[in-house]
Amino acid sequence: MRKQTCCFTGHRMLPKKAIPALAQRLEEEILRLLAQGMRFFGAGGALGFDTLAA
C-alpha cells in the first residue's frame, strides 16, 4: 500500500486570488498520480491547502 499512497500538506494561509489556479493544478496532479498507480490519498486536515487537497 505504501507505493500507492500520497499525502498532501501545505500552507494554512492561501491568497484567495490564487485558490482557483491552485485547485486546477492540484486536480491535474492528482489525475497524474492516479495514472501512475496511486490509490490512497491523505491530507493533514488543517485549513488552507490541506482542506483544498481533501
Side-chain angles (χ1 to χ4, degrees):
M1 260 175 63
R2 285 186 187 190
K3 292 184 179 185
Q4 295 178 310
T5 301
C6 177
C7 297
F8 295 98
T9 189
H11 293 282
R12 290 178 181 241
M13 302 296 289
L14 300 175
K16 287 188 181 195
K17 291 170 49 175
I19 291 174
L22 183 56
Q24 177 65 37
R25 179 67 178 97
L26 182 59
E27 181 177 348
E28 292 167 1
E29 187 64 20
I30 290 170
L31 291 173
R32 187 184 71 75
L33 290 166
L34 286 167
Q36 290 183 356
M38 293 294 160
R39 294 295 178 259
F40 305 99
F41 295 88
L47 294 177
F49 182 80
D50 294 14
T51 306
L52 185 63

